[in-house]
């Protein structure tokens, strides 16, 4: 009887394996190997320093909205997914240099980036200001930042906008901020924790998570709201990724992911933006 049960189990396992093999054979990659950094693989650059968007758990496993999204895109394109961890400052040069196929780090859409990248807006994010829970100088409005020392992530949208704000302060006769730049939001917040700065400049989901954990106060949010994107160099890859995203949108997978992470989808239909 036991032998019969074991035989049945092995038979069922063989059938499942065979079905999976047939399915794998039927799934033909939607991007030619010649276009990819590694044949059969969608290689993506990410910065795992922004929980819950992208982060590494204690054992080093990558998790977060962007990680799940990229893996699903690769799956629907019949490709393996591979992530390369890097800083924002290296992402565009790395893409141009052929080190990865996609920048999967929510790069904000700007006029300057649209000139050199093929971008698909998919998430809507904004800049936030975090402070100590009981700051010496409470921040309740943007002008309260004048004259303060703040930390931000080097090479990102937050850095660009906070520098623009500094120019505005100067033009209005307000004291400029002293901006300290760090690699990754973890060190941006470490500087705040250590008292090296008065405030940390990040994005809404990151600042909210720190507040939810009771570490820092979410003083200001919703500043300079703009779409975050998946960015590519090659048109064929960009169009394939857009097609996968539209398929996810149609079957509900995309909206369910966004809702689970509390992120607002960007306006638009997940098409590749015209370059230039």
């Amino acid at each position: 009887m036991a032998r019969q049960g074991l035989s049945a189990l092995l038979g069922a396992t063989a059938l499942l394996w065979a079905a999976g093999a047939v399915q794998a054979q039927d799934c033909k990659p939607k991007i030619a190997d010649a276009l990819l950094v590694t044949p059969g693989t969608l290689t993506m650059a990410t910065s795992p320093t922004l929980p819950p968007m992208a982060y590494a758990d204690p054992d080093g496993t990558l998790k977060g909205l962007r990680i799940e999204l990229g893996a699903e895109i690769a799956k629907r394109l019949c490709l393996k997914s591979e992530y390369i961890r890097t800083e924002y400052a290296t992402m565009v040069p790395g893409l141009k240099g052929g080190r990865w196929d996609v920048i999967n780090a929510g790069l904000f859409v700007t006029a300057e980036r649209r000139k050199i990248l093929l971008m698909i807006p998919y998430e809507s994010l904004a800049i936030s200001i975090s402070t100590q829970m009981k700051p010496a100088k409470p921040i309740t409005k943007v002008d309260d930042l004048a004259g303060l020392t703040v930390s931000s992530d080097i090479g990102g949208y937050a850095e660009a906008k906070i520098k623009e704000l500094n120019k505005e302060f100067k033009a209005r006769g307000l004291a400029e901020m002293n901006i300290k730049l760090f690699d990754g939001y973890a060190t941006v917040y470490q500087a705040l924790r250590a008292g090296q700065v008065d405030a940390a400049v990040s994005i809404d989901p990151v600042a909210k998570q720190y507040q939810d954990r009771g570490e820092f106060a979410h003083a200001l949010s919703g500043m300079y709201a703009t779409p975050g994107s998946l960015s590519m160099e090659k048109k064929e890859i960009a169009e394939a990724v857009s097609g996968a995203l539209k398929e996810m949108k149609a079957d509900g997978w995309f909206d369910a992911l966004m809702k689970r992470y509390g992120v607002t989808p960007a306006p638009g239909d997940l098409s590749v933006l015209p370059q230039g």
Side-chain angles (χ1 to χ4, degrees):
M1 197 66 152
R3 289 182 179 178
Q4 290 178 344
L6 179 59
S7 297
L9 178 60
L10 291 173
T13 302
L15 287 172
L16 288 171
W17 181 89
V22 171
Q23 184 178 15
Q25 291 174 358
D26 290 343
C27 191
K28 297 180 180 179
K30 298 179 182 178
I31 301 176
D33 283 348
L35 296 171
L36 298 167
V37 172
T38 300
T41 301
L42 190 66
T43 305
M44 294 169 277
T46 194
S47 178
T49 60
L50 292 90
M53 307 304 290
Y55 62 99
D57 68 11
D59 67 5
T61 302
L62 291 178
K63 293 185 175 180
L65 182 150
R66 293 171 184 164
I67 305 304
E68 291 188 43
L69 181 68
E72 184 67 17
I73 289 170
K75 176 182 174 183
R76 295 188 184 223
L77 295 177
C78 300
L79 299 170
K80 298 176 183 177
S81 60
E82 180 180 352
Y83 284 99
I84 296 178
R85 309 178 193 202
T86 188
E87 293 80 29
Y88 278 90
T90 69
M91 289 186 177
V92 174
L95 182 70
K96 295 292 183 180
R99 294 178 59 193
W100 37 77
D101 305 303
V102 180
I103 298 175
N104 183 359
L107 285 191
F108 286 112
V109 177
T110 66
E112 293 76 16
R113 285 173 174 163
R114 286 185 61 181
K115 293 176 183 178
I116 61 173
L117 299 172
L118 293 169
M119 310 187 84
I120 304 173
Y122 72 92
E123 62 182 30
S124 184
L125 297 175
I127 290 171
S128 283
I129 304 297
S130 299
T131 65
Q132 298 285 356
M133 296 302 288
K134 295 181 179 179
K137 298 178 180 179
I139 298 172
T140 60
K141 58 184 184 300
V142 174
D143 284 0
D144 290 339
L145 292 167
L148 299 185
T149 299
V150 303
S151 56
S152 188
D153 183 42
I154 189 169
Y157 181 74
E159 176 196 350
K161 299 310 291 186
I162 209 69
K163 286 183 174 179
E164 284 182 20
L165 182 59
N166 239 4
K167 292 179 181 179
E168 181 186 323
F169 281 171
K170 184 176 181 180
R172 293 168 53 204
L174 297 175
E176 294 181 64
M177 292 171 284
N178 177 19
I179 302 171
K180 294 183 178 294
L181 300 175
F182 298 89
D183 285 333
Y185 284 119
T187 49
V188 167
Y189 278 88
Q190 284 174 10
L192 179 59
R193 183 178 289 108
Q196 297 174 7
V197 298
D198 301 302
V201 183
S202 64
I203 56 176
D204 284 355
V206 175
K208 181 180 183 300
Q209 185 172 68
Y210 276 107
Q211 176 172 267
D212 290 346
R213 294 203 301 247
E215 296 185 51
F216 301 107
H218 197 174
L220 299 176
S221 63
M223 300 167 59
Y224 309 111
T226 192
S229 71
L230 291 162
S231 300
M232 288 130 294
E233 167 81 357
K234 297 175 181 176
K235 182 179 179 180
E236 296 88 345
I237 294 177
E239 291 295 347
V241 169
S242 174
L245 286 168
K246 289 179 179 179
E247 182 182 287
M248 294 178 200
K249 181 74 174 179
D251 64 26
W253 193 97
F254 179 83
D255 286 338
L257 178 72
M258 294 291 159
K259 183 177 181 180
R260 179 154 52 87
Y261 280 93
V263 174
T264 302
D269 64 354
L270 300 171
S271 292
V272 182
L273 294 177
Q275 199 167 13

